[in-house]
Amino acid sequence: MTLLMAGCGDLGTEAGLRFAAAGHRVVGWRRSPEKLPAAIEGATADLSSGELPPVPADTTAVVVAVAADSPTEDAYRAAYVDGLSNVLDAVVRSGAPVRRVLFVSSTAVYGDAGGDWIDETTTPEPGGFSGRIIREAEDLLISRLDGTGITPVVLRLGGIYGPGRTRLIDQVRGGSAVIPAEPRFTNRIHRDDAAAAIVHLCTMDPVPAPVYLGVDNEPAEMGEVLSFLAAELGLPQPPSGASEGGGQSGEPSRGGNKRCSNALLRSTGFEFTYPSFREGYRDILAGVGVRYP
């Protein structure tokens, strides 16, 4: 197979290396391709500009893994809607034998569920502009590929953590971590498991479902995660504080309060290296893995 990674940052690079290790050719589009490892063929591309390199003629799968340059509505629209639209234009125009296009989405499309369980059948109700714009991109993917013979796949990832993604660890170490006064469930996935899920859904023999939730096996209360990190670091348990308010630019607090089920993803035979935050954070604290520039 030839895989096109449209957007090849930390997550895309890890996925690309896994495709390459399995014997596939991998082409990575990003603004600074010189930063990519040798196993990925880099090509200069600004996805939001519309001026993209040629899609390799033998491309069989495309992964769109983008990130906004800043936490603003304009930046999210440029990355997720404009960027995806331009990639789909290039793919359809190329005539390459693409079978699947996987779009890396977010569980932010669900908003806050008051701690209830949700899965792929739950109706998305975004709580802020980020979830709303990413949901718009999901709809764009499905509508634009309708009738093309290309299977659209949406992978809604929870909060990605991993090498170099140490926000909670830094808060605990720095003494700024506060356990929410009211229980709040969080859903996360280790970068390596997220990359492995991308590879799995692009290469498995059965045709994938339209949507999968990419989260680990255990939704966890934020207080439990912070207390665990403090214990692993040999530090006092963080204090309890007031309920969290909104985030930047009028966005709700990170992730909302919901418990995401990964049953559909696991039903495909996918297995997690890091089934819960405990295994993942222990490896991070032990210095396992690197974050790609």
Side-chain angles (χ1 to χ4, degrees):
M1 294 175 63
T2 292
L3 279 298
L4 171 60
M5 307 296 300
C8 210
D10 179 50
L11 175 60
T13 298
E14 177 64 28
L17 289 173
R18 288 169 180 258
F19 280 122
H24 305 300
R25 178 192 177 200
V26 183
V27 177
W29 285 357
R30 61 177 286 174
R31 292 173 184 164
S32 48
E34 68 279 358
K35 296 180 180 178
L36 292 173
I40 300 174
E41 300 175 28
T44 303
D46 179 353
L47 303 187
S48 62
S49 74
E51 298 179 4
L52 300 177
V55 174
D58 59 347
T59 300
T60 49
V62 178
V63 176
V64 184
V66 297
D69 290 337
S70 63
T72 65
E73 191 162 352
D74 287 346
Y76 267 78
R77 181 163 296 281
Y80 288 96
V81 176
D82 298 343
L84 175 63
S85 179
N86 291 332
V87 171
L88 293 176
D89 280 346
V91 168
V92 173
R93 188 170 56 240
S94 73
V98 176
R99 299 200 310 264
R100 296 172 192 173
V101 175
L102 184 146
F103 172 62
V104 177
S105 180
S106 168
T107 56
V109 300
Y110 293 108
D112 193 310
D116 288 344
W117 281 97
I118 64 169
D119 61 17
E120 291 81 1
T121 67
T122 304
T123 301
E125 295 182 3
F129 69 76
S130 60
R132 187 173 66 251
I133 290 172
I134 294 171
R135 181 75 182 100
E136 182 181 338
E138 292 182 352
D139 286 341
L140 175 69
L141 175 77
I142 293 168
S143 64
R144 290 286 296 279
L145 294 183
D146 184 38
T148 64
I150 302 172
T151 299
V153 185
V154 172
L155 178 60
R156 293 172 176 161
L157 296 178
I160 303 172
Y161 72 106
R165 298 174 186 257
T166 56
R167 181 179 60 90
L168 292 185
I169 294 172
D170 295 341
Q171 288 180 1
V172 172
R173 277 187 171 139
S176 63
V178 177
I179 295 175
E182 300 174 359
R184 180 168 69 83
F185 284 100
T186 62
N187 303 268
R188 41 180 59 73
I189 186 169
H190 192 283
R191 190 267 325 260
D192 291 1
D193 280 329
I198 290 170
V199 174
H200 177 74
L201 293 174
C202 284
T203 58
M204 69 183 194
D205 287 334
V207 176
V211 179
Y212 292 90
L213 290 185
V215 295
D216 66 22
N217 296 349
E218 186 180 336
E221 289 186 43
M222 178 60 77
E224 182 182 2
V225 178
L226 294 174
S227 295
F228 169 82
L229 290 174
E232 291 292 308
L233 292 165
L235 296 172
Q237 178 170 309
S240 296
S243 299
E244 293 189 51
Q248 289 180 290
S249 307
E251 281 289 87
S253 59
R254 284 177 177 263
N257 180 19
K258 53 183 175 281
R259 286 180 282 180
C260 298
S261 169
N262 65 8
L264 184 61
L265 179 59
R266 284 190 290 111
S267 75
T268 67
F270 182 77
E271 296 182 0
F272 285 80
T273 300
Y274 301 102
S276 82
F277 67 89
R278 298 175 192 85
E279 298 87 355
Y281 276 119
R282 281 185 178 130
D283 263 12
I284 295 169
L285 292 172
V288 175
V290 295
R291 183 168 185 173
Y292 302 102

